[in-house]
Amino acid sequence: ASYKRIADVDDKVKAFLTLDEENARNYAKQLDEALVGRTEKGLLYGLPIGIKDNIVTKGLRTTCASKLLGDFEPVHDATVMGKIRSSEAVMIGKLNMDEFAMGSSTENSGFFRTRNPWNLDHVPGGSSGGSAASVAAGEVLFSLGSDTGGSVRQPASYCGVVGLKPTYGRVSRFGLVAFASSLDQIGPVTRTVEDNAYVMQVIAGYDKMDSTSANVDVPDYLASLTGDVQGLKIAVPKEYLAEGVHEDVKSKVLEALKVLEGLGATWEEVSLPHSKYAVATYYLLSSSEASANLARFDGVRYGVRSDNGANLIEMYKESRSQGFGNEVKRRIMLGTFALSSGYYDAYYKKAQQVRTLIKKDFDDVLAKYDVIIGPTAPTTAFKIGEKTKDPLTMYANDILTIPINLAGVPAISVPCGLSNGLPVGLQIIGKHFDESTVFRVAHAFE
Ligand code: GLN
């Protein structure tokens, strides 16, 4: 059914970069046969899943939507892939994204753009646009995305599905192609909060292969879906309903808060005063980390190598010039500049200090409240081409998701209504490692 749906709609939506049909069909058949006489089933037994193309899959092309990795076949699986396979989900294929996860619209893919299934003239969001669009279009039941500054939550919001960014360290990053290592997290994109809890149950947990993985027990997420939010204390940052956030988005969020109030929760306005520095801080830090992480793509170790260079240095230059798209080059240049001697203290170090202040804002509020609630994005999905000319307007769009990555806390986006026929997302932010409360609130609201 999954491949039939893909055949029917993916020429319009364009969510998939690579399909793995033969292996998926064989595996599904094996699962059916092995079921005979078996009572124990994997938690995701037989369910079709799509994977963002920056999560490595053994023997299956993993491109990060970059021409540079157009023919790259990993020799091992990411830790999350091993877990997904043991849960007996069926992997359908690899999903389109902004190249190396840099972008907010999936227009930076080195191959083609993905479209929003709700309205094909609009973007699906990004960078996990393929992950969100494939679920919204009914091509797969769920998918994995990655979120460095909003890339799971913002496309989930734009496509009317549920997307979680777990606490930094909760899900292993081993085998996730690194963009900004201090911010990157893998997260599930699903149709419901319950489905999301199922996928998290499978992918969360300590991994010795990731030195930033946290050795913290994984609770029973499904048990947190009680529907009970009686006495829950919600903080609503005034910066999240300020100028720049569309009136319809504000009113949907206020309606959602009314629903939660009706269920016995209370809310108060608070302030996250350093949020206004989050976009600048994030783009400095993430680009700095990216400039170091992407140094490994030299035309030798992975992917495409140019034949043009007369010597080694020229070969590096030619391979990178041909392989990387404009946005990736922009970030590498910005990051290299910010890290260079004479500028390091003024930019990188300063941004690290501001990051600490942003994190402290969240810690202070979350010491007094159970969750923070606001919109996921300032507007609904914008039109294809609307923001491609000016990178700064594209960056500004991430203002409500980026602070959460800088603070390292978990946050989910759940659909909370429509504006002009396009979905609005409600963002629920929790304390470190408290995905359970985030799920409980999201599920009660849903
Ligand atoms: N839009 C942000 C960026 O371009 C976030 C991307 C992400 O979370 N991977 O960097």
Side-chain angles (χ1 to χ4, degrees):
S2 196
Y3 285 110
K4 169 142 200 327
R5 181 74 183 156
I6 292 169
D8 287 347
V9 302
D10 211 54
D11 59 332
K12 295 190 203 73
V13 177
K14 299 281 218 182
F16 280 92
L17 284 169
T18 308
L19 293 173
D20 198 22
E21 183 157 0
E22 202 182 314
N23 285 328
R25 283 183 184 278
N26 287 340
Y27 181 55
K29 210 160 149 201
Q30 266 176 38
L31 283 180
D32 275 347
E33 284 160 5
L35 190 62
V36 182
R38 185 161 70 118
T39 48
E40 287 277 298
K41 286 194 223 163
L43 199 59
L44 306 177
Y45 177 87
L47 302 174
I49 185 169
I51 303 291
K52 187 175 181 179
D53 211 22
N54 58 352
I55 296 173
V56 301
T57 43
K58 187 175 175 181
L60 183 67
R61 191 171 91 113
T62 299
T63 66
C64 295
S66 181
K67 291 205 176 76
L68 197 134
L69 291 178
D71 60 0
F72 172 56
E73 274 189 19
V75 292
H76 69 86
D77 267 334
T79 296
V80 291
M81 279 315 301
K83 291 182 174 219
I84 287 289
R85 294 194 207 276
S86 334
S87 77
E88 302 187 315
V90 181
M91 214 276 281
I92 298 296
K94 303 297 292 288
L95 294 158
N96 199 19
M97 54 187 280
D98 287 297
E99 185 178 4
F100 287 104
M102 296 173 186
S104 311
S105 66
T106 316
E107 291 167 295
N108 294 337
S109 166
F111 301 110
F112 46 76
R113 289 187 293 236
T114 297
R115 290 169 184 269
N116 191 316
W118 290 75
N119 182 333
L120 297 172
D121 295 333
H122 291 249
V123 301
S127 65
S128 313
S131 303
S134 61
V135 174
E139 297 175 314
V140 282
L141 190 66
F142 51 89
S143 63
L144 293 184
S146 69
D147 191 313
T148 305
S151 282
V152 165
R153 290 160 288 154
Q154 183 255 26
S157 165
Y158 283 7
C159 291
V161 293
V162 180
L164 174 81
K165 184 203 83 79
T167 308
Y168 184 76
R170 181 57 108 182
V171 175
S172 170
R173 295 185 295 110
F174 180 71
L176 169 68
V177 178
F179 162 13
S181 313
S182 77
L183 301 157
D184 299 340
Q185 267 293 288
I186 293 170
V189 180
T190 57
R191 293 186 87 89
T192 67
V193 175
E194 188 183 6
D195 286 358
N196 214 284
Y198 267 93
V199 183
M200 263 304 274
Q201 204 73 59
V202 169
I203 65 171
Y206 175 67
D207 178 16
K208 68 175 191 316
M209 300 300 283
D210 170 4
S211 62
T212 59
S213 167
N215 202 343
V216 176
D217 282 346
V218 178
D220 183 349
Y221 293 125
L222 293 159
S224 67
L225 309 179
T226 57
D228 181 11
V229 292
Q230 190 71 42
L232 185 99
K233 286 161 71 185
I234 301 169
V236 180
K238 62 171 194 270
E239 294 80 5
Y240 276 58
L241 294 173
E243 209 186 314
V245 178
H246 194 279
E247 285 308 319
D248 284 3
V249 172
K250 280 186 209 170
S251 71
K252 291 293 162 199
V253 169
L254 292 170
E255 279 172 32
L257 288 167
K258 278 217 182 70
V259 171
L260 289 166
E261 265 181 334
L263 296 169
T266 54
W267 68 272
E268 280 171 7
E269 193 177 277
V270 298
S271 176
L272 298 168
H274 296 94
S275 290
K276 58 176 178 287
Y277 305 118
V279 172
T281 305
Y282 167 88
Y283 277 94
L284 268 167
L285 293 178
S286 64
S287 302
S288 298
E289 293 185 29
S291 71
N293 277 326
L294 270 58
R296 76 192 61 173
F297 301 108
D298 55 5
V300 177
R301 282 172 285 188
Y302 313 90
V304 174
R305 179 182 308 180
S306 165
D307 295 329
N308 294 343
N311 56 42
L312 186 65
I313 299 292
E314 271 185 33
M315 187 278 290
Y316 290 159
K317 276 193 195 163
E318 283 292 326
S319 303
R320 288 166 69 85
S321 303
Q322 289 166 22
F324 289 140
N326 285 344
E327 183 61 27
V328 175
K329 287 178 185 162
R330 182 179 295 126
R331 308 263 183 131
I332 292 173
M333 286 193 282
L334 182 64
T336 307
F337 176 78
L339 290 177
S340 59
S341 115
Y343 295 102
Y344 180 92
D345 284 346
Y347 294 110
Y348 183 78
K349 195 169 155 213
K350 181 63 91 190
Q352 287 285 35
Q353 290 165 335
V354 180
R355 179 179 187 172
T356 304
L357 296 175
I358 292 169
K359 181 173 179 298
K360 190 172 171 301
D361 283 355
F362 279 85
D363 290 344
D364 290 348
V365 170
L366 288 165
K368 296 196 207 103
Y369 297 86
D370 298 300
V371 290
I372 300 173
I373 288 185
T376 306
T379 63
T380 54
F382 46 90
K383 280 219 167 95
I384 289 177
E386 194 180 312
K387 294 187 199 282
T388 38
K389 283 191 195 73
D390 178 10
L392 287 181
T393 22
M394 190 73 94
Y395 298 172
N397 185 261
D398 298 332
I399 186 150
L400 305 176
T401 47
I402 275 174
I404 287 92
N405 299 73
L406 292 169
V409 291
I412 201 166
S413 179
V414 273
C416 67
L418 296 177
S419 157
N420 276 329
L422 287 168
V424 178
L426 181 76
Q427 184 168 215
I428 303 166
I429 305 156
K431 301 178 204 228
H432 281 101
F433 297 103
D434 191 15
E435 285 83 2
S436 294
T437 303
V438 171
F439 278 139
R440 179 158 61 90
V441 180
H443 175 72
F445 166 73
E446 193 183 38

